[in-house]
Amino acid sequence: MLKKELNLDAELKVGPSGSFIVEVDGKPVVKKESLAFPTEQQILEAVSRAVGGPSQSPGS
């Protein structure tokens, strides 16, 4: 998803059980809150903002 939409490579790292954190340059930009995982759109927007790109809006 990140490669296709933002032309970025992603790396999956094992973390504590139940955790889901997306980091850019070692800084968390979005994470799982309670039982709900962030949507793909939320991840794209957070990563895009973190790398200084335009945020992705639905339908773009």
Side-chain angles (χ1 to χ4, degrees):
M1 163 184 66
L2 292 174
K3 183 68 168 178
K4 178 182 173 189
E5 298 293 330
L6 301 175
N7 198 32
L8 296 173
D9 292 317
E11 178 182 354
L12 179 62
K13 295 183 179 181
V14 177
S17 178
S19 68
F20 182 86
I21 302 169
V22 178
E23 296 180 342
V24 174
D25 294 330
K27 298 179 182 113
V29 295
V30 68
K31 62 184 171 180
K32 182 175 92 168
E33 301 291 339
S34 65
L35 298 176
F37 284 89
T39 65
E40 286 186 3
Q41 189 63 38
Q42 289 170 320
I43 294 168
L44 284 172
E45 289 173 359
V47 171
S48 183
R49 281 191 306 270
V51 298
S55 72
Q56 302 289 311
S57 58
S60 60

